[in-house]
């Protein structure tokens, strides 16, 4: 029985792979973010006691960009 749809290209693998760059960014600053969120949780989401952790996280994000 013939196929219902005819392929536009031959159904064989190419000799090379397309040169595409991955757009999904790497997971950076996860540790810093975890420390900051843990500090917030311990201090009822008050920024004042966690100022150093927040600064460390923002510094990491700025460096990653």
């Amino acid at each position: 029985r013939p196929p219902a749809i005819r392929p536009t290209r031959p159904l064989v693998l190419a000799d090379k792979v397309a040169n595409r760059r991955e757009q999904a960014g790497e997971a950076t600053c996860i540790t810093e973010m975890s420390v900051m969120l843990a500090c917030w949780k311990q201090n009822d989401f008050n920024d004042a006691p966690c100022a150093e952790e927040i600064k460390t996280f923002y510094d990491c994000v700025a460096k990653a960009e």
Side-chain angles (χ1 to χ4, degrees), residues 29 32-33 36 52-62:
C29 306
E32 291 82 355
M33 183 173 58
M36 179 183 72
E52 185 63 33
E53 288 83 355
I54 294 170
K55 180 182 178 305
T56 304
F57 174 68
Y58 282 131
D59 289 344
C60 180
V61 169

Side-chain angles (χ1 to χ4, degrees), residues 12-62:
V12 295
L13 294 176
D15 291 335
K16 61 183 179 178
V17 178
N19 188 13
R20 293 184 184 168
R21 187 173 167 202
E22 290 292 327
Q23 293 292 3
E26 295 178 13
T28 55
C29 306
I30 297 296
T31 305
E32 291 82 355
M33 183 173 58
S34 298
V35 170
M36 179 183 72
L37 292 173
C39 181
W40 273 346
K41 188 174 181 181
Q42 289 175 350
N43 294 296
D44 294 324
F45 299 95
N46 187 2
D47 286 347
C50 302
E52 185 63 33
E53 288 83 355
I54 294 170
K55 180 182 178 305
T56 304
F57 174 68
Y58 282 131
D59 289 344
C60 180
V61 169

